[in-house]
Amino acid sequence: GMVELIEAFGTGENQNIYLMHCPMALDNKGADWLQKDPELQNPYFGSMMLRCGTTKEVLTTKNSK
């Protein structure tokens, strides 16, 4: 998936990518998403629950050779 690609190759940009998680998304199955902003912005519930979730991992950029 995308997370493994970023972990292996970086983002090609000089910034981190944040892996977020919301346990309530998709009928409480939970879902992850990637974003560039460190402040969580939940894409599943709109403005009502924009900050619902946690930062699961910070994927750091790798310098390309």
Side-chain angles (χ1 to χ4, degrees):
M2 285 297 297
V3 173
E4 291 81 13
L5 284 172
I6 291 172
E7 286 174 338
F9 299 109
T11 61
E13 299 176 26
N14 188 20
Q15 75 175 65
N16 293 334
I17 298 289
Y18 298 87
L19 175 63
M20 304 300 197
H21 177 77
C22 175
M24 294 173 61
L26 307 177
D27 292 324
N28 293 320
K29 291 178 187 150
D32 296 343
W33 67 95
L34 296 169
Q35 63 177 52
K36 291 182 178 181
D37 192 333
E39 186 174 14
L40 188 139
Q41 296 171 16
N42 188 322
Y44 292 98
F45 294 106
S47 60
M48 181 177 74
M49 294 176 62
L50 190 61
R51 303 287 176 243
C52 175
T54 56
T55 302
K56 200 168 172 181
E57 193 175 344
V58 179
L59 306 172
T60 58
T61 58
K62 289 185 167 55
N63 296 328
S64 56
K65 294 178 182 177

